[in-house]
Structures are given as C-alpha cells and as structure tokens.
C-alpha cells in the first residue's frame, strides 16, 4: 500500500510502466483525494532479500531489458572494465573525442589545444597510482604528451599525534563540526600554511585557533580601526595613493612586494609561501604600521589623516584580492567592507603589479632592528617603555634619514637619536632627570585615562574632560607642564582638578599619587 499525493502517485505509476513523455501527460488514471488505483510493480527493478531496490550484483543480474533496435534481451555484461580506465580517458571522453571537438584536444597550426593539457591537477598522494597514473597512461597510449602541466600532490590528514584518524579509535574529526566551529576559511588557511602540500598534515585544533587569533582576528581588528576613520559607505581605494609620510610609503612598498610575491607563488603553485607571506604582512600591518600611525589617525592634520586613511583602505582592499583564492568567504566580506562595488571580489581583475621601493623597505627594516635592540636594552635595564629617556645612540654603517629619527624617538620613547658609524648596536642613556620623570608620568596618565575610556564604553568619537585630585607637587607639575600632551593623547577637551570619590582610579608614580576620573562631554 502506497499512500501519497496525486502527483507523486501519477509519476510513480507512469514511470513503472515506462511510458513516454506524451503518454504520461495523457495518462487517464490521476488519483484525486480519497481515490485509489492499483499499480503493477515493475518487473525490471532488482530487489534484494529484504525487498529493497538494489542495483548491485547479484540482484541486477535478474534485470532483462529489451533492446529498442533489435528487440533482443539485454543483460549486465559479466566482465567489468576497470573504472580507473574511465578516469584516465576523462579529458577526451567528456568532449566525445576523437569523433568531434578535435580542437579541444589536438594542437594544430602552432595553436595550443583549448582544453589539453590541463594546467594542473590536484589530488591526494594515493592518486600517484590512481588518477595521476591513469591519465598519463591513457595519454601515452594515444601518443599524446602528459595530460597535465603541473601536479599538486596532497598528503593525508592525521590526528594531532600523527595517528590515522579512525572512528573506532575516537580520534576522527567531523569536518562539518570543525567548519561550524572555526569556519571553512580558517581550516583552509591552516592547511595552506602548516606545511608543504605533499607532507602529512596533523590536524590540531589549537593550531587552527592560532590561525584565527594571529591572522583573521588581527586582520578584522585592522579593518575595524580603518572603518572608525573612513567615511561611511566610501568607495574602495583602488589606485595606490601618493602619501608624504614615510610609514604610508613604506606599507605601500611592502604591499607591492607582497603582491609580487603572492603572484609568483600562485603562478608557480607555491601556495605555502604565498599564504605565509600574507600572514606575515597582516601582522606587520597591525603591529607596526597601524600602531605607529595611531597619532596621525587620531590627531594628525587633515592632510596626514587623509593620507593614512587612503593608504590603509587601499592595502585592505588589495588584500581582499590577494587572499581570495585561499579564503573565498573572508575575502568576499573584506572586499565589501572596504567599499568594493562589484558583484564579487572573485570577478575582479587581479592586483596590478607596481614598482617596489626597495631602498625604503631596507631603511624601515633598519629602523625596526634598532627599535627591537633598543627595547631589549630597556628590558635589561628594567626601564619601562613609558618612561622617557634622554637619548638612544644607534651604531651602524647604513645611511639614515630624518624620518627614521622620528619613528625611533617615539618607539623607544627617547628625546634624541644619535647616529654613529660602526658595527651595529644600540645604547640608551638611562639617567633619569626630573623632567624625564614627569614625561614618564604623563605617558602613564595617558595609558590610564584611555583605559578608563575603554572600560566606560566610549568610542573614538566621544570627547571627555579629565578630572584629577592630588596634593602632590610632582603631579601638579606634570599637569601644568604636559597637560596639553595628556589631553591630546586621550581625546580630552580639558583636565580639571576636582574632588573625587573613593572609587576613583589611583595612579602612583615614583611614590606620588593622583586620583583620576573622566566625564563624557
């Protein structure tokens, strides 16, 4: 007994009878509500011992079909041809070659065939004796060259301990659960960057989590920072800006170098190097460019701010293109969030290759090396970075420019940078004068007040008034001498003395205490 809707029973009944399309449309026995109709079970369906349709041996051997041409009986051929031969014949069979479409397979008159050989083939390592082999074997039998120009051979996936995944062992990972938890793009990026394609890959959730934290979350934080300063709905910056600031010019040079490296990597099928280069760039973009450019974004001149916003927008939009082959969903969202107006980033032209300012890249690398060495010296002297120092002396044989001084002064928090010719090294003057102590205290004020802004839920658009209470002559001198720097660094309109309650934040510096509070304007 089959109980169903009319259309289903109509299709089932006519299909069992093997009627033609017109006969189906003309079939008079359509079942309406509450009606029944007897159907004949078709003789040519193979049933197993449970009564289920089963098209495998031996049940399929009971099926006999009449040949439409000669009217003879047709049955399953007892000899089975190796199905892998079919896989090897794929390039030709899909185009019914050699009976037609010869131009797709055969080169003629110096013109390359449109569909042969393939640019590349990608499968797991077991296909070296499977599809990779049969494709090559059939091509050889036909007297043709190799059917693929490049091979990307993938290693197998194991658990984090290097064991084969097995349900019985309890170490198997459900891919859909993993993608629901981490996202398909995160898992893709993990496999792209963990090691070379042909090497065995140990799937470890902690490593996948690192991808999320060290690449995607950092990238999205940079995007959020850009959106705080860019005009809502602004169109994408698709042409390289021409900024004046060295940091802007440097990040554009780094992006141009990245675009060239990623392009070479994709063209040579070196996906690991291309993806790792993009990961490193995202880190530099956040920890060096954005961090060193915050003051220009927040309080720079209109021209400085415009250059910084345009530069960061161009780089982020360009990244959406470079990352698209590896992480299609994230790239699509990044493209849209940075003003992409096309239907999809995957329908855009590839990133234009531009000249790379190698001299600027080298100079900035020199600055970063000096900054790193100077920070190590600070740590060795137990000197907090927020404490201003008199000077840093950089010994080097390389040339230097004035813009390098400004970055190092800010990065190392020193009043002066001196350059000496010789083997590379950095020395700091760690003698603290009263003036330097006040400058260090001002930096601590900025840090604490900005933390109060954050805990109060204020945004970059919110202005505040700083309230402070102290009997310390030291702190009074700090506010009198450096109050303008403190208000500028905290987006405050003013700093005012006031009576504060017991819940106010207390800041102690060099044995002197001040209470702090903020008031949203």
């Amino acid at each position: 007994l089959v109980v169903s809707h009319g259309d289903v029973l109509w299709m089932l009944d006519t299909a069992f009878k093997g009627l033609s399309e017109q006969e189906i449309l003309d079939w008079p026995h359509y079942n309406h509500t509450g009606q029944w109709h007897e159907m004949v079970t078709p003789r040519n369906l193979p049933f197993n011992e449970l009564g289920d349709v089963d098209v495998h041996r031996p049940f399929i051997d009971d099926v006999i079909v009449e040949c439409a041409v000669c009217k003879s009986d047709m049955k399953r051929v007892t000899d089975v041809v190796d199905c892998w031969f079919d896989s090897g014949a794929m390039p030709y069979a899909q185009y019914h070659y050699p009976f037609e479409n010869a131009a797709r397979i055969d080169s003629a008159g110096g013109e390359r065939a449109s569909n042969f050989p393939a640019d590349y083939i990608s499968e797991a390592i077991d296909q070296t004796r499977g599809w990779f082999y049969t494709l090559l074997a059939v091509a050889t039998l036909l007297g043709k060259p190799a059917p693929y120009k490049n091979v990307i051979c993938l290693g197998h996936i194991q658990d984090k301990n290097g064991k084969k995944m097995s349900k019985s062992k309890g170490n198997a990972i459900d891919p859909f659960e993993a993608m629901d938890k981490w996202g398909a793009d995160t898992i893709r990026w993990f496999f792209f960057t963990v090691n070379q394609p042909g090497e065995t890959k140990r799937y470890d959730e902690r490593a996948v989590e690192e991808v999320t934290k060290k690449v995607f979350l950092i990238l999205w934080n940079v995007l959020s920072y850009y959106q705080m300063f860019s005009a809502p709905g602004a169109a994408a910056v698709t042409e390289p800006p021409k900024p004046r600031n060295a940091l802007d010019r440097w990040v554009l040079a780094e992006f141009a170098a990245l675009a060239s490296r990623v392009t070479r990597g994709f063209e040579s099928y070196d996906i690991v190097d291309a993806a790792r280069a993009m990961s490193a760039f995202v880190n530099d973009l956040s920890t060096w460019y954005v961090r060193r450019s915050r003051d220009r974004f927040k309080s720079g001149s209109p021209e400085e701010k415009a250059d910084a916003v345009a530069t960061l927008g161009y780089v982020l939009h360009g990244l959406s293109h470079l990352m698209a082959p590896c992480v299609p969903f994230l790239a699509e969202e990044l493209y849209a969030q940075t003003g992409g107006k096309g239907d999809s980033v995957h329908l855009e032209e590839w990133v234009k290759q531009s000249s790379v300012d190698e001299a600027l890249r080298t100079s900035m690398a020199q600055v970063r090396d000096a900054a790193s060495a100077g920070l190590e010296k600070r740590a060795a002297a137990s000197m907090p970075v927020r404490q201003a120092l008199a000077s840093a002396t950089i010994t080097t044989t390389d040339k230097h420019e004035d813009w390098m001084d400004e970055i190092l002064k800010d990065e190392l928090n020193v009043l002066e940078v001196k350059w000496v010719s010789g083997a590379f090294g950095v020395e700091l003057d760690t003698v603290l004068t009263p003036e330097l102590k006040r400058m260090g205290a001002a930096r601590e004020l900025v840090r604490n007040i900005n933390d109060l802004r954050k805990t109060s839920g204020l945004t970059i658009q919110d202005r505040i008034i700083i309230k402070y209470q102290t009997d310390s002559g030291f702190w009074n001198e700090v506010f009198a001498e450096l109050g303008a720097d403190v208000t500028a660094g905290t987006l405050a309109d003013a700093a005012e003395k006031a009576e504060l309650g017991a819940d106010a934040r207390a800041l102690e510096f060099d044995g002197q205490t001040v209470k702090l509070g903020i008031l949203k304007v």
Side-chain angles (χ1 to χ4, degrees):
L1 176 64
V2 178
V3 180
S4 185
H5 297 281
D7 284 354
V8 177
L9 294 172
W10 168 43
M11 290 185 287
L12 189 65
D13 195 11
T14 53
F16 279 171
K17 288 179 168 56
L19 301 183
S20 68
E21 182 176 329
Q22 189 58 50
E23 288 172 330
I24 291 173
L25 294 175
D26 296 338
W27 184 243
H29 301 295
Y30 186 89
N31 286 358
H32 297 282
T33 304
Q35 293 183 339
W36 63 274
H37 174 74
E38 183 176 357
M39 290 186 291
V40 178
T41 302
R43 291 177 295 111
N44 278 340
L45 285 182
F47 296 93
N48 62 21
E49 62 273 9
L50 298 177
D52 299 325
V53 174
D54 191 332
V55 296
H56 297 93
R57 294 176 59 193
F59 316 109
I60 191 64
D61 290 334
D62 294 331
V63 175
I64 300 175
V65 180
E66 182 183 76
C67 175
V69 178
C70 68
K71 305 302 181 182
S72 299
D73 291 344
M74 296 191 298
K75 298 183 65 176
R76 181 186 70 83
V77 176
T78 55
D79 297 323
V80 178
V81 177
D82 184 358
C83 65
W84 283 109
F85 174 82
D86 295 346
S87 76
M90 176 275 298
Y92 327 101
Q94 66 178 330
Y95 295 118
H96 201 215
Y97 175 87
F99 306 104
E100 55 183 321
N101 297 315
R104 291 183 177 272
I105 305 299
D106 295 329
S107 300
E111 294 292 326
R112 178 182 178 273
S114 59
N115 292 93
F116 187 91
D119 287 324
Y120 78 98
I121 186 173
S122 177
E123 269 290 354
I125 194 169
D126 52 294
Q127 294 304 324
T128 52
R129 56 186 178 84
W131 196 24
F132 295 159
Y133 168 73
T134 58
L135 284 167
L136 185 59
V138 173
T140 303
L141 289 171
L142 293 175
K144 297 186 177 301
Y148 35 76
K149 295 179 181 179
N150 299 277
V151 175
I152 299 179
C153 191
L154 306 176
H156 289 147
I157 300 175
Q158 300 175 341
D159 71 6
K160 64 182 181 180
N161 298 314
K163 303 294 184 182
K164 181 180 178 181
M165 289 188 182
S166 167
K167 289 184 178 179
S168 61
K169 293 180 181 179
N171 65 343
I173 302 295
D174 185 323
F176 295 100
E177 290 181 3
M179 285 186 285
D180 286 342
K181 182 174 183 179
W182 300 109
D185 279 353
T186 306
I187 295 174
R188 281 192 186 96
W189 199 264
F190 164 74
F191 284 128
F192 280 136
T193 57
V194 64
N195 58 15
Q196 293 298 324
E199 297 177 9
T200 299
K201 291 164 176 57
R202 297 186 179 187
Y203 182 83
D204 186 350
E205 278 207 335
R206 290 175 299 178
V208 176
E209 185 178 12
E210 286 294 294
V211 169
T212 302
K213 292 179 178 178
K214 294 186 176 181
V215 182
F216 295 162
L217 288 182
I218 290 177
L219 178 58
W220 232 245
N221 285 338
V222 173
L223 172 64
S224 297
Y225 191 80
Y226 165 72
Q227 291 175 326
M228 283 196 297
F229 298 98
S230 60
V237 183
T238 57
E239 293 296 327
K242 299 186 183 302
R244 289 145 290 192
N245 185 276
L247 278 165
D248 292 336
R249 292 187 289 109
W250 168 78
V251 80
L252 291 175
E254 288 294 326
F255 180 76
L258 175 72
S260 177
R261 183 174 175 180
V262 171
T263 301
R264 288 196 309 271
F266 285 161
E267 288 179 342
S268 61
Y269 301 92
D270 187 353
I271 311 302
V272 176
D273 182 74
R276 286 179 176 176
M278 286 187 277
S279 292
F281 180 83
V282 167
N283 183 69
D284 283 348
L285 183 64
S286 173
T287 61
W288 187 252
Y289 175 74
V290 171
R291 185 172 63 83
R292 290 264 45 90
S293 301
R294 287 187 185 276
D295 288 343
R296 290 189 299 123
F297 278 97
K298 290 181 179 179
S299 55
S301 68
E303 293 79 12
E304 289 177 323
K305 182 178 178 180
D307 280 353
V309 171
T311 298
L312 186 54
Y314 171 78
V315 168
L316 287 172
H317 193 68
L319 269 177
S320 73
H321 293 62
L322 293 181
M323 299 179 79
C326 299
V327 282
F329 300 123
L330 180 141
E332 192 78 275
E333 184 66 15
L334 183 59
Y335 171 78
Q337 292 291 334
T338 53
K341 301 302 181 184
D343 291 335
S344 169
V345 67
H346 305 290
L347 300 177
E348 292 281 5
E349 294 290 332
W350 187 243
V351 176
K352 295 178 182 177
Q353 306 298 293
S354 55
S355 60
V356 179
D357 190 338
E358 293 292 355
L360 180 57
R361 295 181 70 209
T362 300
S363 295
M364 190 64 77
Q366 180 185 348
V367 169
R368 297 182 71 177
D369 287 343
S372 178
L375 293 174
E376 289 178 4
K377 292 285 186 178
R378 271 188 170 274
S382 300
M383 193 66 66
V385 176
R386 282 181 291 277
Q387 173 57 64
L389 299 178
S391 66
T393 301
I394 316 296
T395 305
T396 179
T397 57
D398 297 324
K399 296 180 180 179
H400 70 276
E401 301 176 53
D402 291 343
W403 63 264
M404 302 166 72
D405 291 5
E406 298 307 312
I407 294 178
L408 283 171
K409 284 180 185 179
D410 198 31
E411 183 71 7
L412 296 177
N413 194 14
V414 296
L415 303 185
E416 183 184 10
V417 173
K418 302 174 182 177
W419 298 86
V420 177
S421 179
F424 178 76
V426 178
E427 294 296 332
L428 302 176
D429 181 352
T430 56
V431 176
L432 296 182
T433 65
E435 178 190 11
L436 292 172
K437 288 184 178 182
R438 290 193 295 272
M439 294 177 69
R443 292 282 289 263
E444 287 289 351
L445 278 174
V446 171
R447 183 182 71 84
N448 276 267
I449 293 168
N450 280 332
D451 188 56
L452 284 174
R453 288 180 61 97
K454 182 178 179 181
T455 56
S456 298
L458 301 183
T459 69
I460 197 75
Q461 285 78 29
D462 295 320
R463 305 292 298 187
I464 62 170
I465 293 177
I466 301 169
K467 300 290 186 178
Y468 70 96
Q469 178 182 348
T470 184
D471 295 325
S472 165
F474 171 78
W475 281 113
N476 286 325
E477 289 178 2
V478 170
F479 276 102
E481 182 181 331
L482 301 168
D485 294 339
V486 173
T487 55
T490 57
L491 300 179
D493 289 344
E496 301 174 351
K497 268 194 168 184
E499 292 292 327
L500 300 177
D503 58 343
R505 174 171 298 196
L507 171 61
E508 183 176 319
F509 187 91
D510 201 28
Q512 305 294 314
T513 303
V514 62
K515 287 184 176 181
L516 298 171
I518 60 174
L519 176 65
K520 181 180 176 182
V521 177

